[in-house]
Amino acid sequence: MAPSPPHHARASVDKISAVPDTPQLGMNNTPLGQTSEPNYRTRSFDPLTLKQKYLEERDKRLLSHGSKGQYRPVSGTLAHYADDPWLREKTEREPINEQCEALIIGGGYGGELVAIKMIQAGVTDIRIVEKAGDFGGTWYWNRYPGAQCDVESYIYMPLCEEIGYMPSEKYAHAEELLAHAQRLGRHFGLYEKAIFQTEVQSLHWDAATTRWIAKTNRGDRIRARFVVPVTGLLHRPKMPGIPGIETFQGHSFHSSRWDYDYTGGNQKGNLSRLANKRVGIIGTGPTAVQIVPHLAKWAKDLYVFQRTPSSVAERNNTLTDPEWYSSLHPGWQKQRMENFQAILSGGRPDVDLVADGLTDLFLRLLPRTSTDTELDQEEQAAKRQMENFKDMEEIRARIDRIVHDATTAESLKPYYHRLCKRACFHDDYLPAFNRPNVHLIDTNGAGVAFITPSGVIVGEQSFELDCIVFASGFEMGTAWSQRSGIEIHGAQAGQTISSKWGEGASTFHGWTTRGFPNCFFVSSFQAAITVNFVHITHEQAVHLAYVVSTCRKRGIQTVQPTATAEDTWTEEIVSKGKLQSDFQRECTPGVVHNEKTPIEVAARNATYGGGSQAFMNILRRWREDDRLEGLDVEYSVLG
Ligand code: NDP
């Protein structure tokens, strides 16, 4: 996520009577005033009471989230939840023994971007290894009904402009996003460089040959001079650590491994085989918000088990107007991505090109340098705090307007600042709760207590179910090796990435760590993450392509950060991260804030606290400097 706004000071106003109206969004340029200063409806609230309520709601959840076993990895008895349902045929083949210049691990948009940028920089001897049966990453796995990107397609779908592709909608659906990954594969000749259905399990540095040796689950040994793990965030499911989960006798699956044989239908819906089924969904995060309307429409009965409600605002998706699209000037995609990022990083460009719910949200909730400079820090914080309250009051008012049953409406209301969790946008989620077959089971922050052979138990009540859908998320905030499934054995005897980063990451600019030469990460740790994940990944791809091609041009054998450069960057991450910790402390727990993992570890695994735009500028300036500053460089004997 983009940086969180500081709002630790107490609100200085006792009562206000203002709630923002959700603005109408256009596809094209919107002057900033239209989205940043919405009209206000009259509805009064007491900020101090609200603040107290937020803290109480957080505290309830700290109990359930605090327990170490609240999630379980998909291993052992739960391993089958990660099986690939999309694979038409498992390829049988002999183990591969080969060498390449650069090994890229992962074939999602990120891995593809790294490969494309490397090829464009002249590094063509590359190999891509991907565990799935095709390119696509997140969009290979997530094919649940209603799956859709929540970032505008024109800035999210990589290299649209470069390859002349027009996304069909402002927020494209998953099928189109997957097809785009395949299109990139064909367009840039990536298929001939890829090995699918193959999972890299370990990397070993071989000092004698200064090569990495990758070992896979197919018995392969791939030797590479450079290795770039681009393992992404949303592919390795995690399961809720609910006692009895293995005992359930009905049908169950994780949202990212949807079983259409069981439900019928496809990503557009039509889940006709659920007509006589009692279905439960566990989790009410961004994924569930997209799934619930479809389950609601087709299941005999749908039970939505909620631990924390999501904030859900209007989506207002539109088809792309081809005339508008063809009127865009060369360079539009980069400009649009940067404009979006500037707004999400607290800047105030003249125009809001994307002009949607996200830019509107960040324009209102982040401090704006140009307008807030005359206020002192405490006043700024109070102003932000009040904006946050007003924003969430509108989210809650929207629920009252849409959901007919007052008790259900009350349960669906989130009480936390909107940026504590991923903000959701959907037009059919809340109306789904008006259907007589849809039952919201509010666990009041505690979560589902037990799973039995025939259903689930919440408090004193048990619910008989035929099917459970686990919309319980992915390994995002966990240790790097757990998240990626790869162990890396570095240059120092006995040192692995797990042991080095056991108490939190330590890197130079997020992409390189001492003791692991020529291993370049594309990850969020000590780097940046932004709502438009593809933007930052694109920048990292450009960066790594520069590093690899520069090494080749200059006859450099290995690079790794100096101890000083790494320590300095890590200190910067930790100190800048501290500025955000008051906000994080008040947040309801969740993946965005690492599920309240120990603060020291979280601080080291944090993203750059100066914001993703500033981070990208740091990388860009470092490249422009062209001195590989901060790196220990060893030249090849031939070089
Ligand atoms: P999340 O990790 O966001 O949500 C997991 C859900 O499971 C939460 O609602 C959590 O509750 C709930 N949960 C966990 N344990 C229990 C329990 N014991 N009982 C009841 N509920 C429980 O997963 P998602 O798959 O929804 O989202 C993952 C990420 O995917 C998001 O961060 C989002 O960015 C991304 N995403 C992106 C999309 C896009 O368009 N780009 C679309 C969909 C997802 P609690 O909230 O209390 O923790």
Side-chain angles (χ1 to χ4, degrees), residues 271-277 298-301:
L271 312 175
S272 54
R273 293 187 193 147
L274 296 181
N276 59 353
K277 300 284 193 281
W298 294 98
K300 177 166 164 265
D301 279 297

Side-chain angles (χ1 to χ4, degrees), residues 137-160:
T138 294
W139 303 108
Y140 176 90
W141 297 109
N142 287 281
R143 305 189 197 190
Y144 55 80
Q148 183 182 18
C149 181
D150 62 4
V151 175
E152 189 200 64
S153 335
Y154 318 126
I155 59 168
Y156 180 79
M157 290 174 74
L159 309 175
C160 275

Side-chain angles (χ1 to χ4, degrees), residues 451-468:
I451 295 185
T452 66
S454 60
V456 311
I457 296 182
V458 172
E460 304 285 291
Q461 256 188 307
S462 65
F463 300 88
E464 301 286 300
L465 299 172
D466 300 301
C467 173
I468 301 177

Side-chain angles (χ1 to χ4, degrees), residues 99-102 205-212 223-227 516-520 547-560 628 631-639:
Q99 274 212 66
C100 63
E101 183 74 353
W205 178 248
D206 179 22
T209 57
T210 58
R211 293 290 183 277
W212 284 101
R223 305 174 74 83
R225 198 169 147 203
F226 299 96
V227 63
F516 298 79
N518 292 5
C519 176
F520 304 146
V547 174
V548 171
S549 60
T550 303
C551 286
R552 283 160 48 91
K553 274 184 225 143
R554 297 185 192 168
I556 294 169
Q557 187 76 13
T558 61
V559 287
Q560 60 179 317
L628 303 183
L631 299 185
D632 258 348
V633 171
E634 284 197 14
Y635 287 87
S636 105
V637 276
L638 301 173

Side-chain angles (χ1 to χ4, degrees), residues 65 71 148-150 283-287 307-308 421-422 447-448 471 473:
H65 285 253
Y71 286 109
Q148 183 182 18
C149 181
D150 62 4
T284 48
T287 297
R307 189 165 72 176
T308 310
K421 284 187 177 280
R422 179 93 173 188
V448 169

Side-chain angles (χ1 to χ4, degrees), residues 467-618:
C467 173
I468 301 177
V469 178
F470 292 104
S472 47
F474 301 87
E475 301 280 2
M476 285 172 72
T478 39
W480 188 86
S481 41
Q482 185 175 334
R483 197 199 255 199
S484 66
I486 303 169
E487 186 56 281
I488 312 182
H489 304 261
Q492 249 181 56
Q495 190 178 52
T496 61
I497 202 70
S498 305
S499 64
K500 179 163 181 190
W501 289 359
E503 299 302 314
S506 160
T507 75
F508 175 60
H509 292 174
W511 60 271
T512 175
T513 185
R514 192 165 173 77
F516 298 79
N518 292 5
C519 176
F520 304 146
F521 296 88
V522 175
S523 106
S524 59
F525 290 161
Q526 301 201 351
I529 191 164
T530 159
V531 172
N532 187 12
F533 169 75
V534 167
H535 188 181
I536 179 69
T537 309
H538 185 276
E539 290 300 312
Q540 287 169 310
V542 168
H543 197 73
L544 299 185
Y546 160 81
V547 174
V548 171
S549 60
T550 303
C551 286
R552 283 160 48 91
K553 274 184 225 143
R554 297 185 192 168
I556 294 169
Q557 187 76 13
T558 61
V559 287
Q560 60 179 317
T562 64
T564 312
E566 183 166 314
D567 289 349
T568 308
W569 182 252
T570 302
E571 277 161 28
E572 172 109 354
I573 292 291
V574 172
S575 67
K576 280 224 161 58
K578 275 194 185 129
L579 296 175
Q580 293 183 35
S581 60
D582 283 339
F583 171 75
Q584 292 187 354
R585 254 194 296 279
E586 289 188 7
C587 265
T588 193
V591 279
V592 168
H593 298 300
N594 295 319
E595 297 289 3
K596 306 278 182 196
T597 43
I599 200 81
E600 304 74 28
V601 177
R604 289 169 72 97
N605 288 348
T607 53
Y608 176 64
S612 45
Q613 199 180 34
F615 175 75
M616 289 190 262
N617 287 337
I618 290 171

Side-chain angles (χ1 to χ4, degrees), residues 107-162:
Y109 281 165
E112 289 185 298
L113 279 168
V114 171
I116 293 164
K117 294 297 158 192
M118 289 239 188
I119 292 168
Q120 291 177 339
V123 186
T124 53
D125 180 17
I126 58 178
R127 173 61 82 197
I128 305 167
V129 178
E130 164 58 55
K131 71 177 173 185
D134 205 333
F135 289 119
T138 294
W139 303 108
Y140 176 90
W141 297 109
N142 287 281
R143 305 189 197 190
Y144 55 80
Q148 183 182 18
C149 181
D150 62 4
V151 175
E152 189 200 64
S153 335
Y154 318 126
I155 59 168
Y156 180 79
M157 290 174 74
L159 309 175
C160 275
E161 182 186 359
E162 192 168 325

Side-chain angles (χ1 to χ4, degrees), residues 367-381:
R368 300 284 133 192
T369 39
S370 56
T371 48
D372 291 346
T373 38
E374 68 280 10
L375 303 176
D376 71 23
Q377 256 196 330
E378 200 169 320
E379 284 172 328
Q380 276 197 31

